[in-house]
Amino acid sequence: MPAAESARTLAAFRPKLLDTLPGYTRAHFSRDLGAGLTVGVVALPLAMAFAIASGLKPEAGLFTAIIAGFLISALGGSRVQIGGPAGAFIVIVYGILERYGLANLIIATAMSGLLLFLMGLFRLGTLIRFIPIAVVIGFTNGIAVLIMLSQVKDFLGLELASMPASFFALLQALGGALHTLNPAALALALGTLALLIAWQQATPRLGPQKLPFSGKLSVVPGTIVALAAATAASRLLDLPVETIGSRFGGIPASLPAFVWPDFSWNTVRFLLMPALTLALLGAIESLLCARIADGLSADRPPVGAGPAARQGAGLSITQDRHDPNQELMAQGIANFITPFFGGMPATGTIARTVTNAKSGAVSPVAGMVHALTLLAVVLVAAPLARHIPLAALAAILVYVAWNMGEWREFVQLRQYRLPYRLTLLAVFGLTVIVDLTVAVEVGLIAACLTFIYRISSLTRAEAVSAQDQPGLAGQDEQVRAWRLYGALFFGAVKLVEDMEHRLPARALVLDLKNLIYVDSSGADTLLDLARGCQKHGVRLILCGLQHQPLDIARRSGLLAALPASDVCPDLAGGLATALRPASAP
């Protein structure tokens, strides 16, 4: 049944929401409602800040958080993941805007959505986990540095017409504009940053026994507190700083309309690499975020599982972990639809997902509530956003970028081997100085080469001595036996090739019991060895073939090239065959 087999290669489209609705109660909705409202408040300043840092209007971030956030939660494969604009996209989106323009950013985002959906449909979600951690940490830290650099202009209140995308041009532009520093903007940004840090340090330590209502204070997001304080200070003191209203004219208090971009097909063909970069980064970010979400919600019984799951029977927590392929398909749909309504690329967001899980969310309904909360804010409170100072948003982004980076990894590098250190530092440096796409490509190539070298170094051939097999005593020139360990693949075939130059007079015995894998290059090398032995009148005896090595030996024709008597189940049988007199039957 070829049709049925091909159908099984495609992932089934089943949102996690469908698994949580059975058994969903009013108590569950109450928890999801509280979590969704909290995350919506957290997402408000971040969505605007990410859009502004990417070179877009603030409403682009809000529309993305509303539309993509709702679709990712409703159609995704995770119970508590929150989708929306992310800091990881800032550098890429800014570069695409500068090089190709807004119309082609829309097309590139839609193309990335299509690629994401196909990745999920063809079950490629599990492959993302094979990206080495050194590559992930390297480009995450590199993006964090670039985000902080991109906020220097608004943090210092510099008068700079445009921000170059390349690293050295950006440094040169910032250095040339330092004389335009705005002390009021700097003071406001530093105050916002200090309040954010103080709130983070203070609220976890507050308890009901220390301050009245302090238990409730710990739930209030620091970004909202800092943003409200900065906006109030800017208005009351009449500070001469740029605001959302002075730069963008405010935020429209209406739903986004469908917009078909005016683009050129001649330009679209150049968008494949930007679209692929957006898709890969979105896949990595969303699936890493979903894995973190699994860990945060692992102590809660899955909604709809019933008492059996809580007692260890039926559906378990492990079975309720995220579905990576469904998550990619949902991300694809969201990224295909959102840009045509004024949005930007979206993915899973770690900070908002952590907030969602810690606020008590139990199902994707919380993520849908978060999106509806932002929609209500846009429709009701949009005029208030015009007074938000850009210096405060820059401080929030600097704070987010610092928490986004894995800075301890740089301190702990000396604990790791040289290839790991080189890979991480190379990806970090290339991300900051050159380009994220180049950094990931170089990182993956370096990681693959390191892996090949490490696996090949673990593959070895060990001579069988007369101490192990007394029958070999006095047979050094007549019979030789080797045990092979590890994987016989293209990076380790030299071990077998060398044996052909040191053939014994009568028989060569290979014990392959401890060989866990043989690729096509390894099988071809064994075939060449068999032909070389036949040419020199030496018997090649293979022992202990099993599992995958036995399968490829059959399929490659290696077993057919040897007499059945020269394929033995174990080393003892192979040596007995090799030491038997040639005239014996």
Side-chain angles (χ1 to χ4, degrees):
M1 298 175 61
E5 291 178 4
S6 62
R8 281 195 294 270
T9 64
L10 302 179
F13 189 86
R14 183 175 178 81
K16 183 66 70 174
L17 180 64
L18 298 179
D19 296 330
T20 60
L21 288 180
Y24 193 77
T25 65
R26 184 177 297 178
H28 290 138
F29 177 72
S30 178
R31 294 178 66 177
D32 283 337
L33 180 63
L37 291 172
T38 302
V39 179
V41 174
V42 172
L44 178 64
L46 295 179
M48 292 189 292
F50 290 147
I52 293 171
S54 301
L56 298 167
K57 293 184 177 181
E59 59 262 30
L62 291 174
F63 293 161
T64 303
I66 294 169
I67 301 172
F70 188 90
L71 291 174
I72 290 171
S73 292
L75 305 178
S78 172
R79 281 197 295 147
V80 297
Q81 176 160 267
I82 300 296
F89 284 129
I90 289 176
V91 180
I92 303 173
V93 172
Y94 190 89
I96 296 175
L97 267 176
E98 185 180 62
R99 185 171 181 181
Y100 299 104
L102 179 59
N104 288 303
L105 172 64
I106 295 175
I107 300 302
T109 306
M111 289 170 62
S112 74
L114 181 60
L115 291 173
L116 280 166
F117 185 85
L118 293 176
M119 289 167 64
L121 185 66
F122 288 98
R123 298 181 176 272
L124 299 181
T126 54
L127 296 181
I128 301 297
R129 70 183 64 178
F130 295 119
I131 295 179
I133 190 65
V135 176
V136 174
I137 292 174
F139 79 68
T140 300
N141 286 5
I143 289 172
V145 170
L146 288 175
I147 291 173
M148 286 188 276
L149 276 176
S150 70
Q151 297 310 300
V152 171
K153 171 181 176 289
D154 289 331
F155 197 97
L156 301 180
L158 303 180
E159 296 179 9
L160 195 59
S162 62
M163 293 275 285
S166 63
F167 176 71
F168 293 109
L170 176 60
L171 291 182
Q172 185 177 6
L174 291 174
L178 282 177
H179 66 280
T180 64
L181 185 144
N182 184 338
L186 176 59
L188 192 63
L190 289 175
T192 303
L193 190 58
L195 182 55
L196 279 171
I197 296 172
W199 191 268
Q200 181 191 36
Q201 296 296 321
T203 49
R205 299 172 186 172
L206 295 177
Q209 72 281 8
K210 294 187 178 181
L211 291 172
F213 309 110
S214 58
K216 299 296 184 183
L217 284 176
S218 63
V219 180
V220 180
T223 51
I224 286 295
V225 175
L227 193 66
T231 304
S234 175
R235 292 281 292 166
L236 292 174
L237 300 176
D238 195 22
L239 297 177
V241 296
E242 267 198 300
T243 64
I244 287 179
S246 64
R247 183 181 294 182
F248 302 104
I251 295 174
S254 60
L255 293 174
F258 179 86
V259 176
W260 183 256
D262 182 16
F263 64 93
S264 167
W265 287 108
N266 291 328
T267 309
V268 170
R269 59 195 178 98
F270 296 110
L271 298 177
L272 181 59
M273 280 308 297
L276 183 60
T277 302
L278 289 172
L280 287 177
L281 184 57
I284 294 170
E285 285 284 310
S286 63
L287 296 185
L288 283 176
C289 181
R291 289 177 64 182
I292 292 172
D294 287 343
L296 292 171
S297 57
D299 58 339
R300 301 179 191 143
V303 178
R310 292 173 174 83
Q311 298 172 3
L315 182 64
S316 67
I317 302 281
T318 302
Q319 291 172 315
D320 201 55
R321 292 188 180 277
H322 78 278
D323 179 349
N325 298 308
Q326 180 63 38
E327 189 62 36
L328 288 184
M329 287 190 283
Q331 298 280 345
I333 293 172
N335 279 283
F336 185 80
I337 293 175
T338 304
F340 295 108
F341 289 90
M344 58 186 289
T347 185
T349 57
I350 294 177
R352 278 157 276 175
T353 297
V354 170
T355 303
N356 189 40
K358 290 187 175 181
S359 299
V362 293
S363 80
V365 173
M368 298 160 67
V369 170
H370 132 268
L372 295 176
T373 300
L374 288 171
L375 177 60
V377 170
V378 168
L379 295 178
V380 176
L384 298 177
R386 65 180 297 107
H387 304 299
I388 295 175
L390 297 180
L393 289 178
I396 290 173
L397 273 187
V398 169
Y399 175 78
V400 169
W402 177 260
N403 288 314
M404 171 183 172
E406 298 284 348
W407 311 113
R408 290 183 180 178
E409 292 296 323
F410 288 139
V411 180
Q412 298 171 354
L413 274 179
R414 67 183 67 182
Q415 301 177 10
Y416 299 99
R417 293 181 178 272
L418 182 62
Y420 178 91
R421 284 181 276 174
L422 290 177
T423 301
L424 192 153
L425 292 174
V427 173
F428 172 76
L430 289 171
T431 300
V432 173
I433 297 174
V434 184
D435 179 70
L436 177 64
T437 307
V438 175
V440 173
E441 289 172 354
V442 171
L444 288 176
I445 292 173
C448 289
L449 293 176
T450 301
F451 177 78
I452 291 169
Y453 171 76
R454 292 291 299 157
I455 295 299
S456 64
S457 66
L458 295 174
T459 303
R460 70 183 195 277
E462 184 180 281
V464 179
S465 65
Q467 294 179 349
D468 295 334
Q469 300 291 336
L472 287 175
Q475 299 288 334
D476 293 345
E477 300 299 327
Q478 298 296 313
V479 176
R480 286 183 187 162
W482 298 87
R483 289 192 181 98
L484 268 64
Y485 296 85
L488 186 60
F489 69 112
F490 63 89
V493 294
K494 192 174 186 303
L495 286 174
V496 176
E497 292 173 346
D498 290 343
M499 292 178 186
E500 190 172 352
H501 303 299
R502 296 177 291 169
L503 292 175
R506 199 164 83 189
L508 175 64
V509 182
L510 298 183
D511 181 11
L512 307 181
K513 177 183 178 181
N514 298 302
L515 208 60
I516 59 174
Y517 175 76
V518 178
D519 72 349
S520 56
S521 298
D524 285 343
T525 304
L526 289 173
L527 269 171
D528 290 340
L529 180 62
R531 297 187 190 102
C533 288
Q534 184 179 15
K535 179 180 178 181
H536 292 89
V538 178
R539 295 180 69 182
L540 176 62
I541 300 174
L542 302 183
C543 314
L545 274 170
Q546 53 188 338
H547 306 307
Q548 189 272 343
L550 176 61
D551 178 62
I552 196 169
R554 286 198 188 104
R555 291 187 288 108
S556 65
L558 176 61
L559 294 186
L562 298 174
S565 59
D566 290 350
V567 180
C568 304
D570 52 39
L571 179 60
L575 288 174
T577 301
L579 296 171
R580 190 178 301 142
S583 58

